[in-house]
Amino acid sequence: MIEGTSVFDWFALVISLIVVLSIYLRKAYRGIENRVFLGVVLIGLFTTVFELISDGILAVTPLTRTTQGIVYLALYGYFINRQMSVISYIMLAFSASGTTYRMKELKNRILFTGPFFLLSVFIITNFFHRQIFNISMTEGYVRGPLMFIVFGFSMVYGTIGLLYLFTVRKYLGTTKWVAMMLLFISIAFSVVVQYYHPTYRIEMLSAALAVLILHLIVQRSEDLMDQTTGLYAWQLYQEETRRLMLAEKQVSIFVVRFLNATEVRIAYTEDRYNAYIKEKAELMKKIMGKRIKDYKIYIHSSGSMHLVVGKKNFDFETETPELLSLFTDDIAYDGFGQRLRPLMCSIEYMRDFHNPADLIQFGLFFPQFMKPNQTFIRASDVVHEKNYEIQKNIPKIISRGLRDNNFEMYYQPIYDVKKKCFHSAEALIRLNDEEYGFLSPGIFIPAAERQNMIFPIGNFVLEEVFEFVGRDDFERLGLTYIELNLSVDQFLHENLHKQIAQLETRIRTKPERINLEVTESVAGISSTIGRMNIEMLRKRGYSFSLDDYGTGYSNIQRAMSLPLSLIKIDKSLVDEVETKNGAVIIENTIQMMHEVGFQIVCEGVETANQYRILEAMGCDYIQGYYFAKPMSKADFVRFLIVENHCEK
Ligand code: C2E
Ligand code: MG
Ligand code: MG
């Protein structure tokens, strides 16, 4: 064996070093899978180094006592590392297939590592029995009669690994599986070769090559771990959920979604947000670590964390109440955490949902199913409801609504407090679906925005409302303008002003008859296109108002920098007008807005008392069920003819 060429080992060494360097440069050492992979590479590297040392010294026989001692040490290092590398390949099969949790059971661990320890002891005691190998001063390295045990061990473990790969085939995906098979097959092949032809030192080279292939094809480190938080990346969550479906394994999932993530990140910087997420993730790990070993946390860049627990029916609300209070009683960074508006849900995957698409969609959109003050929801409470069914089918519902003309514009009269009559109205879209009946725009408008279907709806609204304000009797009905809701995408589309200009010429309407409503979140977006749309349309004579003032995260400063004429105070704030604090806030808001030249609409006024208070506070216009609900065009016109008698 001694005369064997070391050239293969030198290649193996160079390749392993390149892989280590590449892992370091790509920062591919975070997360269990990456760490196991690094272990595989390093163990292979050490094995090669030990083999090179022993070969190098053995090349010059006869040996001295010192060189003999060094060769012994190097060979022990070599054999033990070699056994470890076989184990590390199997570990890789476990971690790459996401089944590492199976190793966490003590029984499996003993079964798995026990023989390895026994063999290590056997190798070390070779020092006394010399049955595996011997180093003689004159002949150098001589194999002992029990060497076959060492090689046999590699073969047995290698075969176990190979068989295991077959059982986890569906977890791995084809590329990964083929690459892993390649690793095992090439190593098995070279072990056999090296056993019968000890001079062909190809074992380490073939291992290094297989590892290189795995590194290049399979390990996409940058995508695997989120670089800033160190959590598992979203892509992995998608893979994991697919894997779980194929394996029909039931797990419990806990999702935290930060509703205001986008706005808060713009206002408070990305760094601060990331620091917050990182800190919360650490605390989550602490809480979970006490309960269960098999869990993983994934992050989604739009502002959510998904915790997957490898156990079914894990009840987060009762088993880990600290987890829920981590976000509800959050006082981190002076209320920064609360500003993000965290909402939570728990899901039993493969029971509540049976495929990744439904699961992922729910994980992102569950806040829609929550009641106003709710912060935690179970998917099981929702998935059997009609509402969920509708959400899921919204693309279908919207397209058939457009096809079959199921959309209709309603108008809600707005009362002029000074003139004591209705001077305008808000146009509100309605959808009557053949299967689900009447659907609230609060549901289908956000859904249409997400599914890229808002433009056909927006165009319908524009057509209808322009048609309405183009009526000859518009002013005779006592109307000044109609308020029209613009969605974010419409507002940010560069064609909006052109489209409106075309409508205006085609239908021959006056721009003063239209008031365009934008929401705070729209107004908060510092977009050149949005700004251009506003400026072009203002120049033509259109006016703008700020809708939903007082909801969510206000970036009032940015909103105020836009040329608006009306501010619409949201119902949620108006609801507080009878409380002491609410009254102070609303009264001051009205006064402040008047001072800077805006007029005020109070939305959602339902009672005479609310009306009286708001009138006394100087609110200019009132919109609400107290005066009138939204109604069809025909009803609205009739309503105006019968009810509208302005005091001149
Ligand atoms: P919004 O623009 O803030 O419209 C006001 C909402 O408050 C309307 O709900 C209206 O029916 C409701 N409302 C008015 N007064 C009262 C009241 O006294 N009590 C109660 N409980 N509610 C009152 P609606 O029609 O369901 O619309 C919800 C949201 O959907 C609208 O909020 C708006 O954001 C969106 N939306 C409606 N129509 C359109 C549209 O044509 N285009 C776009 N882009 N969005 C629309
Ligand atoms: Mg509105
Ligand atoms: Mg509103």
Side-chain angles (χ1 to χ4, degrees):
M1 149 154 190
I2 310 311
E3 254 69 79
T5 165
S6 298
V7 67
F8 294 129
D9 277 342
W10 282 109
F11 273 122
L13 184 67
V14 172
I15 293 171
S16 305
L17 284 173
I18 290 173
V19 175
V20 171
L21 185 70
S22 166
I23 288 177
Y24 174 73
L25 292 177
R26 289 167 67 183
K27 294 206 180 92
Y29 39 71
R30 295 206 194 110
I32 200 168
E33 197 173 322
N34 283 337
R35 261 180 261 150
V36 171
F37 188 79
L38 183 62
V40 168
V41 181
L42 288 180
I43 291 170
L45 187 92
F46 292 141
T47 317
T48 315
V49 169
F50 282 126
E51 191 166 49
L52 278 169
I53 293 174
S54 63
D55 274 1
I57 299 173
L58 286 167
V60 258
T61 34
L63 297 170
T64 64
R65 280 209 84 75
T66 329
T67 50
Q68 187 196 28
I70 298 173
V71 172
Y72 260 124
L73 284 180
L75 279 173
Y76 284 127
Y78 165 74
F79 277 111
I80 289 179
N81 265 288
R82 200 175 152 283
Q83 304 317 315
M84 284 206 317
S85 70
V86 181
I87 300 266
S88 72
Y89 300 144
I90 300 184
M91 288 285 287
L92 192 64
F94 273 100
S95 73
S97 58
T99 49
T100 324
Y101 61 91
R102 291 186 183 156
M103 287 310 298
K104 285 182 178 150
E105 275 176 45
L106 191 63
K107 186 185 73 191
N108 288 350
R109 229 186 265 189
I110 292 173
L111 262 176
F112 186 61
T113 48
F116 166 71
F117 278 113
L118 290 179
L119 191 83
S120 299
V121 171
F122 177 56
I123 291 174
I124 290 167
T125 51
N126 178 64
F127 189 71
F128 305 106
H129 55 67
R130 307 282 159 104
Q131 295 298 304
I132 306 176
F133 65 88
N134 192 16
I135 311 289
S136 104
M137 302 282 265
T138 47
E139 286 172 71
Y141 175 90
V142 184
R143 270 189 189 175
L146 296 185
M147 176 59 95
F148 77 93
I149 296 183
V150 176
F151 276 84
F153 174 87
S154 313
M155 285 314 285
V156 170
Y157 264 53
T159 314
I160 293 174
L162 201 66
L163 292 176
Y164 189 67
L165 274 185
F166 276 100
T167 68
V168 292
R169 156 116 181 70
K170 57 188 174 186
Y171 301 116
L172 277 163
T174 314
T175 326
K176 238 183 197 180
W177 187 72
V178 170
M180 292 288 298
M181 288 298 279
L182 201 73
L183 175 76
F184 277 92
I185 293 170
S186 70
I187 289 165
F189 172 74
S190 55
V191 167
V192 174
V193 170
Q194 206 167 318
Y195 183 69
Y196 291 106
H197 303 278
T199 49
Y200 298 163
R201 297 297 181 79
I202 58 166
E203 191 187 345
M204 296 328 294
L205 179 61
S206 65
L209 283 172
V211 159
L212 179 68
I213 291 173
L214 276 172
H215 177 62
L216 293 179
I217 304 181
V218 183
Q219 204 190 18
R220 278 164 310 173
S221 56
E222 304 92 303
D223 312 336
L224 296 188
M225 304 307 292
D226 181 73
Q227 291 300 303
T228 40
T229 58
L231 295 174
Y232 288 98
W234 184 246
Q235 183 212 342
L236 278 187
Y237 182 67
Q238 293 171 305
E239 283 174 17
E240 178 74 6
T241 54
R242 217 175 316 130
R243 196 147 71 189
L244 290 165
M245 174 180 67
L246 294 170
E248 289 175 27
K249 183 172 177 335
Q250 193 175 322
V251 295
S252 309
I253 302 178
F254 175 80
V255 184
V256 195
R257 179 147 191 79
F258 301 105
L259 267 201
N260 289 340
T262 317
E263 290 92 333
V264 170
R265 281 152 90 172
I266 292 173
Y268 287 83
T269 76
E270 201 65 18
D271 285 350
R272 193 164 170 192
Y273 172 76
N274 285 331
Y276 171 86
I277 295 286
K278 214 168 165 172
E279 190 181 309
K280 287 289 153 182
E282 286 310 316
L283 293 169
M284 280 167 88
K285 286 179 191 167
K286 245 192 213 146
I287 294 169
M288 292 315 295
K290 280 187 218 146
R291 299 282 145 67
I292 191 162
K293 290 236 157 46
D294 181 16
Y295 73 88
K296 273 185 181 169
I297 307 175
Y298 303 84
I299 185 161
H300 189 273
S301 57
S302 75
S304 59
M305 289 197 263
H306 297 232
L307 165 76
V308 179
V309 175
K311 193 177 163 198
K312 64 177 175 183
N313 301 326
F314 187 87
D315 188 339
F316 295 96
E317 204 176 13
T318 54
E319 296 206 43
T320 51
E322 317 94 281
L323 197 62
L324 273 75
S325 48
L326 196 58
F327 298 97
T328 38
D329 314 335
D330 192 4
I331 50 157
Y333 301 127
D334 259 351
F336 178 81
Q338 279 314 300
R339 233 155 275 168
L340 282 165
R341 270 201 68 203
L343 297 176
M344 295 164 274
C345 81
S346 70
I347 304 168
E348 274 299 308
Y349 183 41
M350 297 309 292
R351 186 196 72 195
D352 299 340
F353 303 100
H354 301 278
N355 63 66
D358 286 352
L359 168 76
I360 286 173
Q361 209 193 10
F362 186 81
L364 295 175
F365 301 130
F366 69 88
Q368 290 170 19
F369 303 105
M370 295 176 118
K371 296 190 185 72
N373 287 321
Q374 201 176 2
T375 52
F376 174 76
I377 193 170
R378 287 165 202 271
S380 54
D381 294 342
V382 176
V383 286
H384 306 294
E385 279 187 7
K386 188 178 149 211
N387 215 358
Y388 174 70
E389 181 82 356
I390 291 171
Q391 284 286 349
K392 232 180 88 179
N393 293 318
I394 215 81
K396 193 176 86 191
I397 296 173
I398 292 176
S399 16
R400 78 173 161 222
L402 289 164
R403 189 192 62 206
D404 304 343
N405 275 324
N406 292 337
F407 286 102
E408 188 185 347
M409 289 319 290
Y410 267 46
Y411 295 86
Q412 184 177 27
I414 298 175
Y415 188 77
D416 182 330
V417 176
K418 286 194 199 76
K419 287 193 181 152
K420 305 234 174 302
C421 62
F422 298 95
H423 91 302
S424 67
E426 176 169 8
L428 294 160
I429 195 164
R430 295 292 176 255
L431 171 59
N432 200 352
D433 183 66
E434 58 201 45
E435 190 178 341
Y436 299 105
F438 171 75
L439 295 178
S440 155
I443 288 187
F444 70 79
I445 292 283
E449 281 170 347
R450 279 195 307 273
Q451 317 264 3
N452 237 340
M453 295 176 92
I454 196 67
F455 284 105
I457 297 181
N459 294 344
F460 169 83
V461 174
L462 283 168
E463 284 279 337
E464 285 286 311
V465 176
F466 269 76
E467 197 72 55
F468 182 78
V469 300
R471 292 167 70 106
D472 294 337
D473 60 353
F474 187 77
E475 268 143 16
R476 252 178 289 135
L477 290 169
L479 293 171
T480 325
Y481 52 78
I482 296 291
E483 292 175 13
L484 186 157
N485 289 287
L486 277 185
S487 85
V488 195
D489 295 348
Q490 284 178 291
F491 180 70
L492 298 181
H493 199 286
E494 54 188 355
N495 269 343
L496 180 74
H497 67 278
K498 289 186 207 147
Q499 188 190 3
I500 289 186
Q502 276 166 9
L503 263 175
E504 182 191 314
T505 9
R506 177 154 61 82
I507 303 182
R508 274 189 257 128
T509 56
K510 295 184 189 146
E512 307 83 63
R513 291 186 181 177
I514 296 277
N515 177 285
L516 298 157
E517 289 190 4
V518 293
T519 57
E520 271 188 81
S521 59
V522 175
I525 299 171
S526 48
S527 138
T528 26
I529 296 180
R531 205 161 266 278
M532 174 205 64
N533 273 327
I534 288 207
E535 273 155 23
M536 301 291 262
L537 290 165
R538 284 279 300 195
K539 254 187 234 153
R540 289 192 84 88
Y542 293 89
S543 62
F544 283 83
S545 52
L546 183 67
D547 200 359
D548 302 344
Y549 179 78
T551 55
Y553 180 82
S554 313
N555 196 330
I556 194 66
Q557 198 184 3
R558 223 174 316 197
M560 289 300 141
S561 71
L562 296 172
L564 306 162
S565 48
L566 275 178
I567 306 290
K568 301 191 75 172
I569 298 184
D570 192 68
K571 179 174 189 307
S572 56
L573 197 52
V574 167
D575 283 344
E576 302 294 318
V577 77
E578 283 150 315
T579 68
K580 203 170 135 237
N581 288 352
V584 173
I585 290 170
I586 295 175
E587 182 158 27
N588 282 304
T589 304
I590 295 176
Q591 198 187 336
M592 176 179 83
M593 294 297 181
H594 278 162
E595 265 166 42
V596 286
F598 299 116
Q599 289 195 298
I600 303 287
V601 183
C602 290
E603 285 188 296
V605 176
E606 292 183 345
T607 66
N609 195 40
Q610 285 178 330
Y611 169 68
R612 268 196 301 276
I613 299 172
L614 289 164
E615 183 188 28
M617 286 178 178
C619 179
D620 304 282
Y621 307 108
I622 302 280
Q623 175 182 359
Y625 293 176
Y626 172 61
F627 283 113
K629 287 194 173 181
M631 48 192 105
S632 70
K633 187 165 68 185
D635 286 347
F636 176 52
V637 171
R638 224 171 294 138
F639 174 88
L640 290 176
I641 292 170
V642 178
E643 302 273 334
N644 219 12
H645 308 291
C646 292
E647 289 174 7
K648 290 280 170 246

